[in-house]
Amino acid sequence: MNNGETSTSMVKKYRPLAVAAGIGSILGSGIIVGLSATITVWQNGLGLTNSQVGIISGALTFAIAIGSLLAGQITKSFGLVKSFNWLNLIYAIGALICVFSNNYIMLLIGVIITGLASGADLPISLTVVSHDAPDDKTSASLVSSTQIFWQIGVFMSYVCDFIVSKMAGASGARIVFSILAIFALITWAWRTFSTKFRAFHEEGEQRRIDREAASQTTEKVSIKTVFAGANKGRFMAFFFSILIFYVCWNLLANTFGQFQTFTLVQAHASQSFATGAGIVLNFISLLATMAFASVAGGKYRNKFFLVGITVQFLAMLGLAMSSHSLWPIVITIGCYNIGNNIAGEAMYKVWTQEAFPVEVRASVQGFINGFSRVCCGLFALITPALVVPSAIRNTMFGFAAIVFISFVAGLTMMRLEKKHGINNF
C-alpha cells in the first residue's frame, strides 16, 4: 500500500471523530445565526425593548469570546477529553433555558451559557482531533474538514429560520433553539459513550507520551515553556503570523456576513432576491470549503491558499470599482465567497494545530478566537457607517488593503513552516 492509500485509509478511519467535532461547529454557527435571525421574534414574543435586544446580541458575542479565551484553562482543570465530552451538555442546558424562557433575564442567562460552551468547544474539539490523529497529514485533512460543518450550520439555521418565520409569538424561535439543544445532546452522548472514540483518545495519548519520551523531554510543556523557552522566537513568529492573518480575515468575513444583504439591497435588489442570493452564496462557500478540505493535507494546499487570497483581493477591488449595477456586485461577492473559504478559517485551523505542541493548542487557538471576536465586535460599531453608499467605495479599497496584510501574514506563515520542517509542501 502506498503512502497516498495509507493516508486515505487513516482519514476514513478517523472521520467519525472529525464529524463529532464538526457538529460542534454546526452548533457554533447555529447559535450565532439562529439568534441573529430570531432576535426580532424573541423581541415580539417576550416584549423586549431595543436596548435589551442589543444586550442579548452583544452578550452572545462576548460569551463566545470569553469561552474561547478560557478553553486552555478548562482543559487544564478538567482534562482535554473530559472537556471535549461534556461541553455540549452545557450547551444543551443553555439552549433549553432559552427554549423555556418567559422573560428577558432568563433568555439572557441561556444565551450566555450557550455562548460560553460554544466558544470553548471549538478550540478544544480541534485539539482533540489533532491529538488523536496518527500523523500530521491526517490531522490537517480532518481539522480542515470541520470547517465544512460550520457552513452547514449556517445553511441549516437559515433554512430553519425561514420555515418557522411565520409562527406566532416566540414559538418559531423556541423551535430553532430546541433543534440546537437536541443536536447538542446527541453530540454529548456520542462523544461521551463511544468506545471507538475512547480508543482513539487512548492511542493518541500513548503516541504523545512516546514522542515525549523519544525527545527526552523532562520539562512539562506549558504556555510559559512555549513562549518563554528556548524556541520562543519560533513560536512567537508562528503566533503573530497566525493572529494577524486570522484577525484580518475575520474582520472581512464578519462584515460581509452581517451586511451582505444590505449591500445587495443598496444595489436595488429586492429583499427576497437578496435573501435567496445569500442562500446560494452560502452554498458556494460550502463547496469552496469542501474543495480546500480535499487538499489540506497535501502538496497543493499552499497553491490553493495563494489562489484564494488573490481572488479575495481582486473581489475587493472589483467592488470598489464596480458601478451600482446588481449583477456585477452579485458576481463579485460570489468570487469573494470562493476565495474567502479557500484561504480562510480552515487554513487558520490547520496552521494553529500544526505549529504548536498539543498541550497548548487549545489555549493558543482559544486566545486567537477570542481576541478576533472582540476585534470584530468593536469593528461592528463603526461598520454601518462604512457600508453606506457614499463611503462604500473607499471602504472596499480599505478592505483590499486588509486582504493584502493577511496575504503577507499567510505567506510568512508558509515560509516559517518550511523553515522549521513542519511540512514538506
Side-chain angles (χ1 to χ4, degrees):
M1 181 179 289
N2 61 40
N3 290 337
E5 291 172 336
T6 302
S7 177
T8 301
S9 65
M10 284 295 100
V11 170
K12 184 177 180 180
K13 177 181 178 181
Y14 284 84
R15 180 71 67 192
L17 181 64
V19 173
I23 294 176
S25 293
I26 290 178
L27 295 171
S29 59
I31 186 62
I32 294 171
V33 177
L35 181 66
S36 174
T38 62
I39 191 63
T40 55
V41 178
W42 285 117
Q43 182 177 25
N44 295 331
L46 300 182
L48 306 178
T49 65
N50 288 335
S51 61
Q52 288 173 333
V53 167
I55 291 171
I56 290 172
S57 297
L60 177 63
T61 299
F62 285 102
I64 293 173
I66 293 169
S68 296
L69 293 170
L70 293 176
Q73 187 59 43
I74 291 171
T75 59
K76 183 178 179 181
S77 300
F78 300 101
L80 178 62
V81 172
K82 188 176 289 186
S83 301
F84 173 71
N85 290 345
W86 287 87
L87 274 170
N88 281 288
L89 180 61
I90 298 173
Y91 181 108
I93 291 171
L96 288 173
I97 291 174
C98 294
V99 171
F100 295 107
S101 62
N102 55 14
N103 56 58
Y104 161 68
I105 295 297
M106 193 172 177
L107 180 62
L108 179 63
I109 292 172
V111 166
I112 291 174
I113 293 173
T114 308
L116 288 170
S118 175
D121 181 71
L122 179 60
I124 290 174
S125 294
L126 296 181
T127 300
V128 167
V129 172
S130 62
H131 170 273
D132 291 358
D135 56 72
D136 291 340
K137 189 171 184 178
T138 303
S139 174
S141 180
L142 295 173
V143 167
S144 63
S145 71
T146 63
Q147 186 63 21
I148 296 171
F149 292 91
W150 182 275
Q151 294 295 336
I152 291 173
V154 174
F155 186 77
M156 287 175 58
S157 295
Y158 276 126
V159 172
C160 290
D161 295 337
F162 178 78
I163 292 173
V164 304
S165 61
K166 301 299 183 181
M167 293 185 178
S171 299
R174 296 186 198 279
I175 290 175
V176 170
F177 278 73
S178 295
I179 293 171
L180 292 174
I182 291 169
F183 265 88
L185 288 171
I186 293 172
T187 308
W188 162 73
W190 189 20
R191 291 182 180 182
T192 304
F193 301 110
S194 170
T195 55
K196 178 182 287 189
F197 292 168
R198 190 175 300 118
F200 286 164
H201 301 328
E202 292 170 356
E203 292 167 7
E205 182 60 16
Q206 188 58 52
R207 281 191 291 268
R208 186 193 67 79
I209 293 172
D210 292 344
R211 285 195 300 268
E212 195 173 86
S215 65
Q216 299 180 337
T217 301
T218 57
E219 187 177 23
K220 188 175 181 180
V221 178
S222 66
I223 288 292
K224 182 178 180 181
T225 60
V226 168
F227 289 106
N231 294 314
K232 64 180 180 180
R234 166 186 171 181
F235 289 117
M236 291 295 283
F238 283 150
F239 177 78
F240 282 108
S241 296
I242 296 171
L243 178 69
I244 292 169
F245 167 78
Y246 187 60
V247 169
C248 289
W249 175 87
N250 213 8
L251 286 176
L252 266 67
N254 190 67
T255 299
F256 274 86
Q258 289 183 319
F259 295 99
Q260 179 174 281
T261 300
F262 175 85
T263 302
L264 293 172
V265 171
Q266 289 297 311
H268 309 296
S270 66
Q271 185 66 35
S272 60
F273 179 91
T275 304
I279 294 175
V280 173
L281 292 171
N282 182 259
F283 186 71
I284 291 173
S285 298
L286 176 60
L287 294 178
T289 303
M290 293 172 66
F292 176 80
S294 69
V295 301
K299 61 183 180 180
Y300 296 112
R301 184 178 84 188
N302 290 344
K303 293 181 175 63
F304 263 63
F305 174 83
L306 293 174
V307 170
I309 205 79
T310 301
V311 170
Q312 288 182 63
F313 181 76
L314 294 176
M316 292 303 101
L317 291 181
L319 285 171
M321 295 184 290
S322 67
S323 65
H324 292 294
S325 299
L326 177 59
W327 281 106
I329 292 176
V330 172
I331 293 170
T332 306
I333 292 178
C335 291
Y336 166 76
N337 275 269
I338 294 172
N340 168 267
N341 286 280
I342 291 176
E345 187 155 10
M347 186 78 252
Y348 148 72
K349 290 176 178 178
V350 172
W351 278 339
T352 309
Q353 298 301 313
E354 288 180 342
F356 299 97
V358 67
E359 293 87 348
V360 301
R361 287 172 188 167
S363 297
V364 172
Q365 189 156 34
F367 176 84
I368 295 175
N369 282 0
F371 181 79
S372 175
R373 288 197 176 277
V374 170
C375 290
C376 288
L378 295 175
F379 189 71
L381 297 175
I382 63 170
T383 301
L386 298 177
V387 295
V388 296
S390 60
I392 193 73
R393 180 182 175 88
N394 290 332
T395 297
M396 293 305 153
F397 280 123
F399 283 174
I402 291 175
V403 173
F404 182 77
I405 294 171
S406 70
F407 162 73
V408 173
L411 193 62
T412 301
M413 185 62 196
M414 288 190 290
R415 289 182 174 176
L416 286 169
E417 286 201 318
K418 185 175 182 180
K419 175 182 177 181
H420 295 289
I422 289 179
N423 60 53
N424 56 3
F425 299 153

